[in-house]
Amino acid sequence: ETAGNKIKSLAYRFKTVFELISDYRLIVSTPNGYQLNPELNIKTDIQQFDDLWSQAQCALTLQTKEELLKKAAKLYRGNIYDIASYEHWLIPHEMAYKYKCLSVYIELMSIYYESQDYTTVEYYASLALKIEDASVDAHYWKIRALRQKNSLSMAKAELKIAEYAMTPEEYEELCQKLNRTGEMVI
């Protein structure tokens, strides 16, 4: 009963504050509780991210795909529920969002590598490594970009960073990928 009263109080306060900035009711009462007004077309940034990701997968041109992926990448802000991101019931959602964003970055790295924009490859690799410091693909693209920029010492340093961040199996996978492209740094 106490929790129900607190929810009612919060819903009332939220409605009151939202009325100051909009003529429309954001929260409506239903027989089952409260919900966002279904008559309003409200999309969260996570929904927009998912839409852009889906559209990018079906894009007909590389340029369109790149633009959609860049828009999705700009929407990523880290944890969905920052304060409660490690609650057991939220972890699957958090991880799915992070790895979908990691996939966006990896696709962008591939696109920019092909267009020989190695600085942008490094930029997206850095963003990807903030999400997953042991990402084989992020290290792979970053090392390849550094090699193309004739920064052999930085490429070697990146390989060493990868070795410390990864499991032996992941590191072996990275080395094999680099060997296949002839870009293994020794």
Side-chain angles (χ1 to χ4, degrees):
E1 188 176 311
T2 302
N5 288 335
K6 286 183 180 182
I7 290 172
K8 284 180 187 177
S9 174
L10 286 171
Y12 174 77
R13 283 192 280 165
F14 191 75
K15 281 190 220 179
T16 304
V17 169
F18 192 75
E19 286 173 353
L20 296 173
I21 60 173
S22 175
D23 294 335
Y24 301 100
R25 293 184 67 194
L26 177 64
I27 297 177
V28 294
S29 301
T30 69
N32 297 323
Y34 300 98
Q35 71 178 34
L36 291 176
N37 187 341
E39 294 176 13
L40 300 177
N41 187 15
I42 299 172
K43 271 192 169 183
T44 65
D45 55 350
I46 296 167
Q47 290 168 317
Q48 290 175 338
F49 179 93
D50 284 340
D51 289 347
L52 290 166
W53 169 254
S54 295
Q55 291 170 19
Q57 299 312 302
C58 301
L60 298 177
T61 68
L62 189 60
Q63 182 180 6
T64 302
K65 183 174 189 166
E66 175 189 346
E67 290 304 315
L68 291 167
L69 291 171
K70 282 175 28 182
K71 286 178 184 177
K74 284 181 183 177
L75 286 173
Y76 182 75
R77 299 278 184 263
N79 294 333
I80 299 172
Y81 309 103
D82 207 25
I83 294 172
S85 64
Y86 295 102
E87 293 285 334
H88 74 282
W89 61 279
L90 288 175
I91 290 174
H93 302 288
E94 292 287 343
M95 297 307 293
Y97 184 49
K98 284 181 180 183
Y99 283 101
K100 195 177 287 184
C101 186
L102 189 61
S103 296
V104 166
Y105 292 155
I106 290 166
E107 285 200 43
L108 284 167
M109 285 182 267
S110 174
I111 290 168
Y112 284 112
Y113 186 86
E114 291 302 316
S115 67
Q116 299 179 351
D117 184 350
Y118 306 121
T119 301
T120 305
V121 172
E122 286 182 79
Y123 169 74
Y124 283 112
S126 296
L127 292 177
L129 291 168
K130 286 180 184 175
I131 293 174
E132 177 57 63
D133 65 344
S135 169
V136 171
D137 291 316
H139 284 289
Y140 169 78
W141 287 114
K142 188 170 185 180
I143 290 168
R144 289 192 72 192
L146 289 167
R147 291 281 310 233
Q148 291 299 319
K149 291 172 70 174
N150 292 319
S151 300
L152 187 58
S153 62
M154 290 179 70
K156 286 180 182 180
E158 186 63 33
L159 187 61
K160 197 57 136 170
I161 290 168
E163 183 178 18
Y164 288 116
M166 296 175 167
T167 64
E169 295 80 15
E170 291 167 330
Y171 182 70
E172 180 62 31
E173 180 184 346
L174 173 62
C175 291
Q176 287 175 2
K177 282 182 81 164
L178 290 168
N179 278 331
R180 280 193 295 273
T181 59
E183 300 200 39
M184 183 64 184
V185 289
I186 298 173

